[in-house]
Amino acid sequence: MSRDEFSTAIKLPVFIGESGQREQFTDWMLEFKAVAGVKGVEQALRSEFEKELPSSDSGWETYESDGVTLDADGKKHRKALEMNAKAMHLLVASVKGVTCRNIINK
């Protein structure tokens, strides 16, 4: 582990989704946003972030397959997709329970 990775190694909060846990959810979300900020992906949690993503995954596949993007925003889209993927990995790792996982999978 490099020095930079070590300096941002923090405990990921875990939420176990059950009804009646609004207060625990609020605390978990606050901690989760803090972790996302440290990891550099907090922007991906904002609703307006969706505008940064390409309209389909095909742009990403094109970039990966031949190293050339077909749109002027290729680098921007790639960065947004990478940030989104990291945020989703953190989110999936931080929730437990079938209900929460089903919501994420939608």
Side-chain angles (χ1 to χ4, degrees), residues 19-93:
S19 62
Q21 293 185 327
R22 184 172 296 275
E23 186 174 313
Q24 286 117 343
F25 176 80
T26 302
D27 291 344
W28 168 83
M29 181 55 88
L30 183 64
E31 290 179 37
F32 182 77
K33 286 180 178 180
V35 170
V38 169
K39 296 296 185 178
V41 298
E42 184 181 15
Q43 182 181 354
L45 303 178
R46 298 184 180 133
S47 59
E48 64 271 8
F49 181 74
E50 191 172 336
K51 296 174 188 171
E52 302 293 322
L53 297 169
S55 58
S56 72
D57 286 340
S58 62
W60 177 251
E61 292 166 2
T62 301
Y63 185 92
E64 284 298 303
S65 65
D66 60 13
V68 176
T69 55
L70 299 177
D71 63 336
D73 293 324
K75 289 182 181 179
K76 180 180 172 185
H77 287 162
R78 180 179 182 187
K79 182 179 178 182
L81 284 166
E82 288 173 350
M83 186 182 297
N84 188 62
K86 287 178 184 178
M88 289 303 298
H89 292 306
L90 286 173
L91 181 61
V92 169

Side-chain angles (χ1 to χ4, degrees), residues 7 14 25 47 105:
S7 66
V14 176
F25 176 80
S47 59
N105 284 327

